[in-house]
Amino acid sequence: MPIRLTALTDPAAAPGARREVWLAEEDGVPVGSAHLRTSDRDDRWHLAELELTVHPAERRRGTGGLLLDAAAAAARAADRSVLLAGADEGGPGEAFLAARGLRRVLVLAAARLPLAEADEAALTVLAERPHPGYRLVSWDGTVPDDLLDRYVAARPAMDDMPVGDTGFGAVRWDADRLRSAAAAVAARGDLLTTTAVLADGPAGEGGGMVAFTELVVPGDGTGDAQHYGTGVLPGHRGRGLAGWMKAEQIRAVRRRHPALAGLLTDTAEHNVPMRRVNEALGYRPTHRTCHYRLDL
């Protein structure tokens, strides 16, 4: 029987974003799927992001090609100019994408910190080391109103993170986007917790925000939590702020969620300073993910 593609409707589409889904079937049996995400935001308008999966027993029969062609056609119809797809380095997905003419543009190095094996003494030394002129602040969920403007001003700390030739530009954060991101995490039942660094200065009590790190903890407090953004504004780098706030966040999450197993992170392979911070905190490499690009 020939492979049949069925377009599905996404029941959980977020405002300003769309996801198109195709299910590949043979004789009524699912053999693969593709998920295409697009955004209406100006800084992501040109991009379409693809997740493509084919059952191992059904590979090399053309299913992946059919799904990729359907997704690429939909991206073109939506006036997108770049299609991005990811695959584990050295795996069949990477070989497939390369064979289909996509080019590798970014490698992310994934790492995990097993919390049961974290060095509490070393974390305490890092978290309690004095940083004159700076202090730590933390919150759960949406940023408090008294920190909102300072958090918006700190978000450009991630603008220069390495993204290769993916086409990802700087994300333009404002108050509404910050609130929306926190609400999306809460809506799926998870906890967004943020630790930030305030510097002494005139930007209100406690000074301006110069660094931040985000962590999403599963709603039931078990399994692995996932790091989101971490950034330090350029004028405050080289002072140990990233390790300081991440060490404090790790200590806090261990106390609050004793059943949590580990923390996950991924960092561009060329982002050597952040990778060194994670290594010093005890994160261990797990795998590498390659991002591939197709110009439409």
Side-chain angles (χ1 to χ4, degrees):
M1 296 285 291
I3 303 296
R4 176 185 176 186
L5 298 189
T6 302
L8 305 176
T9 301
D10 179 12
R18 289 187 297 277
R19 186 173 68 159
E20 298 181 69
V21 182
W22 295 267
L23 179 66
E25 298 175 288
E26 183 178 25
D27 197 21
V29 177
V31 295
S33 64
H35 300 73
L36 185 73
R37 296 188 305 275
T38 56
S39 172
D40 290 340
R41 295 187 182 276
D42 291 343
D43 52 20
R44 289 290 185 270
W45 174 259
H46 60 296
L47 294 175
E49 298 177 74
L50 174 65
E51 294 181 14
L52 192 155
T53 304
V54 176
H55 190 281
E58 304 296 335
R59 291 171 183 163
R60 299 185 179 277
R61 301 182 57 224
T63 303
L66 289 173
L67 290 166
L68 177 59
D69 289 345
R76 290 189 185 95
D79 201 27
R80 310 297 157 143
S81 59
V82 174
L83 177 71
L84 294 177
D88 286 345
E89 187 175 53
E94 186 183 20
F96 165 77
L97 294 173
R100 294 287 305 205
L102 284 77
R103 56 191 177 90
R104 191 162 82 167
V105 292
L106 178 67
V107 177
L108 296 179
R112 180 178 185 269
L113 174 64
L115 286 175
E117 301 172 23
D119 188 335
E120 184 70 23
L123 289 171
T124 298
V125 168
L126 284 171
E128 296 184 357
R129 181 175 297 161
H131 290 75
Y134 298 99
R135 70 180 180 91
L136 294 173
V137 62
S138 299
W139 66 87
D140 290 340
T142 304
V143 57
D145 289 343
D146 63 318
L147 294 174
L148 178 58
D149 290 342
R150 284 179 275 184
Y151 194 27
V152 172
R155 293 299 306 195
M158 293 185 64
D159 284 357
D160 59 351
M161 67 178 182
V163 294
D165 193 21
T166 57
F168 285 123
V171 177
R172 289 187 286 276
W173 290 92
D174 57 22
D176 288 341
R177 189 164 190 167
L178 285 172
R179 292 189 181 109
S180 237
V185 174
R188 64 176 188 256
D190 294 336
L191 173 69
L192 171 64
T193 182
T194 306
T195 299
V197 178
L198 298 179
D200 293 339
E205 183 180 354
M209 190 176 296
V210 300
F212 63 89
T213 185
E214 302 166 309
L215 182 70
V216 173
V217 179
D220 63 0
T222 66
D224 289 340
Q226 176 70 56
H227 285 286
Y228 276 29
T230 296
V232 179
L233 287 172
H236 299 267
R237 292 174 185 168
R239 305 180 188 185
L241 300 184
W244 182 35
M245 62 183 175
K246 292 191 81 168
E248 175 56 32
Q249 188 176 67
I250 294 166
R251 289 204 310 165
V253 80
R254 289 185 76 187
R255 290 193 301 267
R256 296 177 59 190
H257 305 281
L260 198 63
L263 308 183
L264 305 175
T265 187
D266 53 52
T267 309
E269 64 173 349
H270 297 306
N271 192 349
V272 176
M274 188 55 67
R275 291 179 62 190
R276 286 176 176 165
V277 167
N278 292 332
E279 289 168 6
L281 292 168
Y283 287 79
R284 301 172 183 173
T286 56
H287 64 282
R288 289 156 59 92
T289 302
C290 303
H291 287 258
Y292 277 75
R293 168 174 173 159
L294 177 66
D295 294 314
L296 302 172

